[in-house]
Amino acid sequence: MAKNYQYCVAECWGSGFITLEDAIKIRISGFPGNVWQVPAHNSDANLWIMKVAGSFKTVQEAQAIVTAEVEAAQAAWDALPEDQKNRPGNNSRPTDIVLPE
Amino acid sequence: MSTYYQIFGGKINVVTSDPSNPIEGQVWYNTTSEVLKYRVVTTSAWASGGNLGTARDALAGAGTQTSALAFGGKTPTISGVNNTEEYNGSSWTGGGNLGTARYQLAGCGTQTVALAFGGYDGPANTGATEEYNGTSWTSGGSLGTARRDAAGAGTQTSALGFGGAAPSTPEITGATEEYDGTSWTAGGSLATARRGLGGAGTQTAGLAFGGTTPPITAATEEYNGTSWTSGGTMGTARNETAGAGTQTSALGFGGYDGTANTGATEAYNGTSWSNETSLSTARQNLAGAGTQTSALAFGGVTTAPIANTEEFTGGGVGVTRTVTGS
């Protein structure tokens, strides 16, 4: 089955990480663990990954990174005392994220 | 293989200089530069901006895309902060600290003339209001109804605060208050009481959208300085969202859709919402500033509070592109 997306790990440094030109050319989506999703088989996406010095990941590797981040956040949330879970403004328990192929 | 002629019924125009006013989809060959060119209309897009110095969520914002203000919020320890940061279009630098550290506060105004009000200061909801002059915060008149998770619109001397969660029962309120630079007075209440909503506009032409009643809602209401009336429903119901712009030209982005964080972005034209390009990083409890076509999203939470800033540029701009061999 043809892949629709490819993944990399890169740290967002701020301005210039995703330029307006990048964003117009390709859809770039960020996930926990500094995982970034871009279109597969796309030269602009490949150039962007090179620009940000991204480390290519398979979808399985990217999923493992995201899942580890989510599970750590879920464990931290679960460990909170009940009064803190119910404290105004506390966010709900982080939900699982499934990365598409 | 089909040819251009077979598809369009005509040949590509061959010209010595680019047409002065090309339309979307027009293709031509420029013999001077020896390149094939075409005209497209851009879609909207979010680009990266400078990261906040302090990663946080449940913060408030004011100003424009190139001159914004971020203040308050909370860190991973779920405690309120008093940090203020100023954005110049590329990076954030520290400003004067709020007198009352808090999160889930509301804000409005500009980078140098801003207003912060309400929020949760640790032990309780607060009605504290503070005014920023570009350097430091000073106390203003307190909200009549102390509340957190409300929305704000307008300016420092003509502000609107609406919705949120109050200490009373029922907790979620539709109460609206108007600030004149000195004190708050009651305005017309939202028809749908809610918290975690987005806001835009002015004191006499405000916009409220999204939030939770509960459940999470897509409802929009428009304020005319006296009362709220129903507006067009958002495509994506969401809570803990952010907004920018005016009542008839607003942008709503980010939030929590009841299942997951969302980066969904929608534009309001005074009647209905339409989809725009989503935030790169889906998040809730973020802050916003700017206009419908030049907005700023900053902070918020994914699995933890984040420092990411994104800059929105509206679409619909004609651009000439060159066909390359690569």
Side-chain angles (χ1 to χ4, degrees), chain B residues 85-103:
Chain B
E85 296 185 54
E86 299 171 357
Y87 193 63
N88 65 3
S90 61
S91 61
W92 294 92
T93 54
N97 289 339
L98 282 162
T100 301
R102 53 182 124 168
Y103 59 86

Side-chain angles (χ1 to χ4, degrees), chain B residues 178-261:
Chain B
E178 299 171 1
Y179 192 66
D180 63 3
T182 304
S183 60
W184 292 92
T185 54
S189 289
L190 286 161
T192 301
R194 56 183 111 174
R195 67 173 177 82
L197 68 169
T202 67
Q203 189 186 69
T204 56
L207 193 71
F209 50 91
T212 183
T213 61
I216 291 171
T217 179
T220 299
E221 294 184 54
E222 299 171 0
Y223 194 65
N224 64 2
T226 304
S227 59
W228 293 92
T229 54
S230 297
T233 303
M234 298 189 89
T236 300
R238 63 187 79 193
N239 183 26
E240 308 299 3
T241 186
T246 67
Q247 187 187 68
T248 55
S249 180
L251 197 70
F253 40 95
Y256 180 74
D257 66 11
T259 304
N261 293 334

